[in-house]
């Protein structure tokens, strides 16, 4: 076996793979028939639930054994299904074990089991500095459960964070490149299709009225709210685009990026739109032949602006900002919709526990009780770095910063990195959002997957004679 070959087993189903589900289905049928008279009408639906549980267990067990079809199926599931918001939770509502949270807990458990089972195959990848640093962060996040005001919530989120890291490494290490590409693109197509169908067939659910009386609507699709859908589409761009380009699928890359960006426009998510445009442009702008003249132009523009200010020629920015704001109030933009006030409040909380933080996932519990501003702002720090300092303190933030520095260094690497778009996107998005400094979401899995793919490629290059 050459270093470039995947470690996983054959992607096709074998007779051995099918034995367990066939026997299990027969046993479930017998138990159902034997107990149907005792459990009443609800028993007619019992086989459906049992088959779903048994099928899921079969997939997880197969993925633990390194079956590529099971790893691909679990990866596709994790990129699509948890994004669907079928049980909305109220603001500051205490977390409860319902179908939505139960699904996430089950997924994190499945990813953790697969990652631990494939750990011997993943050890070479963990020598990568980026993976090592984020792994240290994950372990410290789990330790912070000891002093968290919400220990159960912190434990679930931090263990899920580590589980997502291990599973992403397993998928990157063992899936053949073609199967990985098909899985990611297929997941993107399925999720886009779900949102388009929802926008047409369920307009009352899929569209959210804009602020004020503008009469416009924002697309939220099967996700919620629109900003979340915008970030998910931006994540798919950062994930699909390098995978398509490395396979020289330029037409597919253009189509996928265009489709995702159109949905971002429909969500009217300014953060996702701006971050996506910048992350697509930055690798091009960093080229020496482009960066040098741009630097000169920037210096000239700065000088002209300083002269204009000195002679009193300053345009009325207030009216311009009023027009750019959704609420026609410039203060919304000047305060970043209240984030600047929140950051001061968050800093006061950071000072209360500067070294160890308050515990992973405990941001809402720490902030919401005393926050005086908009209620929906007190769920997190709305800044990746402040969020990290708040939950894991200075000690936990050091490996977190190390991780991001490693990603940024890859922007100038001679070999194109799989994280070439993701690096700048994380940095830009992190200015106003918490994202991977919280419970694992789609962006977390995508980030770990791309970093692990980089580690695998670097390992192959190092071992190639």
């Amino acid at each position: 076996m050459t270093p470039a070959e995947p470690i996983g087993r054959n992607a096709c189903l074998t007779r051995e793979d099918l034995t367990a589900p066939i026997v299990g289905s027969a046993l479930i049928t017998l138990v159902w028939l034997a107990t149907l008279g005792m459990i009443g009408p609800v028993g007619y639906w019992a086989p459906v639930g049992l088959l779903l549980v048994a099928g899921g267990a079969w997939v997880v067990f197969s993925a633990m054994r390194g079956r590529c079809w099971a790893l691909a199926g679990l990866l596709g599931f994790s990129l699509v299904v948890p994004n669907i918001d079928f049980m909305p939770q109220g603001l500051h509502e205490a977390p409860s074990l319902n179908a939505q949270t139960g699904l996430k807990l089950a997924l994190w458990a499945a990813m953790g089991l697969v990652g631990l089972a494939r750990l011997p195959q993943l050890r070479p990848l963990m020598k990568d500095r980026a993976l090592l640093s984020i792994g240290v962060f994950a372990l410290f996040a789990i330790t912070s459960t000891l002093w968290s005001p919400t220990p159960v919530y912190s434990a679930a989120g931090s263990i899920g964070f580590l589980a997502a890291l291990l599973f992403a490494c397993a998928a990157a290490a063992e899936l053949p490149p073609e199967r990985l590409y098909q899985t990611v693109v297929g997941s993107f197509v399925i999720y886009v299709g779900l949102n388009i169908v929802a926008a047409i067939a369920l307009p009352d659910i899929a569209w959210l009225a804009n602020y004020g009386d503008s009469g416009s609507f924002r697309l939220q699709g099967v996700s919620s709210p629109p900003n979340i859908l915008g970030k998910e589409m931006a994540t798919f761009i950062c994930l699909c685009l390098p995978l398509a380009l490395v396979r020289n699928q330029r037409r597919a890359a253009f189509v996928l990026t265009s489709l995702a960006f159109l949905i971002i426009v429909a969500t009217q998510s300014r953060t996702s739109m701006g971050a996506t445009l910048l992350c697509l442009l930055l690798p091009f702008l960093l080229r020496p032949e482009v960066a040098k003249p741009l630097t000169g132009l920037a210096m000239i523009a700065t000088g002209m602006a300083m002269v204009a200010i000195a002679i009193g020629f300053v345009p009325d920015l207030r009216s311009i900002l009023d027009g750019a704001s959704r609420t026609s109030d410039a203060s919304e933009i000047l305060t970043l919709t209240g984030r600047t006030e929140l950051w001061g409040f968050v800093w006061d909380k950071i000072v209360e526990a500067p070294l160890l933080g308050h515990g992973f996932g405990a941001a809402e519990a720490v902030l919401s009780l005393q926050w005086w501003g908009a209620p929906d702002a007190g769920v997190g720090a709305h800044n990746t770095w402040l969020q990290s300092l708040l939950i894991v303190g200075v000690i936990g933030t050091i490996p977190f910063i190390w991780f991001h520095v490693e990603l940024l260094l890859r922007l100038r690497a001679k070999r194109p990195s799989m994280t070439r778009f993701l690096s700048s996107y994380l940095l830009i998005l992190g200015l106003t959002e918490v994202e991977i400094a919280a419970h694992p979401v789609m962006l977390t899995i995508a980030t770990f997957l791309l970093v692990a793919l980089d580690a695998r490629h670097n390992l192959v290059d190092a071992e190639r004679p």
Side-chain angles (χ1 to χ4, degrees):
M1 179 180 293
T2 64
E5 291 178 350
I7 303 170
R9 302 281 296 276
N10 193 291
C12 298
L13 289 173
T14 64
R15 181 181 301 177
E16 182 184 355
D17 292 324
L18 295 174
T19 301
I22 292 174
V23 173
S25 299
L27 290 175
I28 289 173
T29 302
L30 291 175
V31 172
W32 172 58
L33 292 174
T35 59
L36 188 58
M38 295 184 293
I39 58 180
V42 71
Y44 290 104
W45 294 101
V48 178
L50 291 173
L51 286 173
L52 288 175
V53 173
W58 172 49
V59 172
V60 173
F61 179 70
S62 299
M64 292 171 63
R65 299 175 62 197
R67 302 291 188 182
C68 288
W69 65 266
L71 281 168
L74 190 56
L75 175 62
F77 184 91
S78 66
L79 290 175
V80 175
V81 179
N83 303 331
I84 302 173
D85 187 28
F86 54 88
M87 292 192 69
Q89 184 173 311
L91 186 63
H92 300 314
E93 182 180 330
S96 57
L97 186 58
N98 52 33
Q100 188 95 48
T101 56
L103 175 66
K104 292 181 179 180
L105 291 174
L107 178 61
W108 296 345
M111 291 193 296
L113 289 173
V114 173
L116 290 174
R118 310 309 300 167
L119 195 57
Q121 287 75 24
L122 307 183
R123 285 174 182 170
L125 294 185
M126 297 310 293
K127 297 177 182 178
D128 182 88
R129 289 193 295 267
L131 290 177
L132 178 61
S133 58
I134 200 64
V136 172
F137 173 81
L139 293 175
F140 190 84
I142 294 174
T143 306
S144 71
T145 301
L146 298 175
W147 56 84
S148 170
T150 56
V152 175
Y153 195 61
S154 296
S158 56
I159 294 174
F161 189 92
L162 181 61
L165 174 62
L166 294 177
F167 173 73
C169 289
E174 304 204 52
L175 284 177
E178 182 65 27
R179 174 55 66 93
L180 181 63
Y181 174 71
Q182 292 172 352
T183 301
V184 171
V185 172
S187 301
F188 169 77
V189 172
I190 290 172
Y191 193 54
V192 167
L194 288 174
N195 282 286
I196 292 176
V197 170
I200 298 173
L202 302 170
D204 293 340
I205 297 175
W207 296 90
L208 181 69
N210 209 339
Y211 299 111
D213 298 324
S214 61
S216 63
F217 289 84
R218 306 173 63 196
L219 178 64
Q220 65 180 6
V222 295
S223 183
S224 179
N227 287 341
I228 299 296
L229 178 59
K231 288 187 286 188
E232 290 165 354
M233 288 297 109
T235 301
F236 266 123
I237 290 176
C238 294
L239 184 57
C240 292
L241 189 54
L243 287 173
L245 291 177
V246 80
R247 302 190 64 78
N248 203 27
Q249 299 285 336
R250 297 185 180 276
R251 182 177 299 177
F254 175 77
V255 172
L256 295 172
T257 302
S258 301
L259 185 57
F261 195 77
L262 286 175
I263 294 181
I264 294 175
V265 172
T267 66
Q268 299 183 34
S269 176
R270 295 171 299 184
T271 301
S272 295
M273 195 179 305
T276 303
L277 287 173
L278 287 175
C279 82
L280 294 176
L281 288 173
L282 196 58
F284 171 76
L285 297 177
L286 289 177
R287 294 179 180 178
E289 63 272 19
V290 178
K292 290 181 180 179
L294 281 182
T295 302
L297 290 175
M299 294 177 65
I300 294 174
T302 302
M304 294 176 62
M306 294 178 65
V307 171
I309 293 174
I311 63 177
F313 181 72
V314 181
D316 183 12
L317 297 178
R318 186 80 188 186
S319 58
I320 298 175
L321 295 177
D322 284 340
S325 169
R326 290 197 187 105
T327 59
S328 300
D329 185 358
S331 62
E332 179 193 0
I333 295 178
L334 294 174
T335 64
L336 298 177
T337 59
R339 285 180 173 86
T340 53
E341 297 175 345
L342 175 65
W343 292 340
F345 178 75
V346 170
W347 182 255
D348 292 337
K349 293 299 179 181
I350 292 173
V351 173
E352 293 178 4
L355 292 180
L356 301 178
H358 294 275
F360 188 87
E364 183 175 356
V366 173
L367 299 176
S368 59
L369 294 179
Q370 299 180 20
W371 168 241
W372 62 84
D376 60 343
V379 298
H382 283 282
N383 179 281
T384 300
W385 321 110
L386 290 178
Q387 177 84 0
S388 180
L389 287 170
L390 178 68
I391 60 177
V392 292
V394 174
I395 296 177
T397 301
I398 291 174
F400 190 68
I401 293 177
W402 180 19
F403 172 74
H404 284 80
V405 170
E406 287 292 333
L407 296 190
L408 291 177
L409 290 176
R410 297 179 186 187
L411 283 174
R412 299 298 301 270
K414 293 182 180 180
R415 173 178 176 170
S417 168
M418 297 298 290
T419 62
R420 62 188 119 170
F421 305 109
L422 180 76
S423 302
S424 50
Y425 178 72
L426 284 177
L427 182 64
I428 298 165
L429 188 69
L431 297 175
T432 57
E433 302 292 345
V434 301
E435 293 313 315
I436 67 170
H439 288 183
V441 292
M442 179 191 165
L443 179 58
T444 313
I445 299 172
T447 299
F448 295 161
L449 182 64
L450 290 175
V451 176
L453 285 172
D454 260 355
R456 173 180 168 177
H457 293 161
N458 293 335
L459 182 64
V460 170
D461 288 345
E463 295 180 355
R464 181 176 292 139

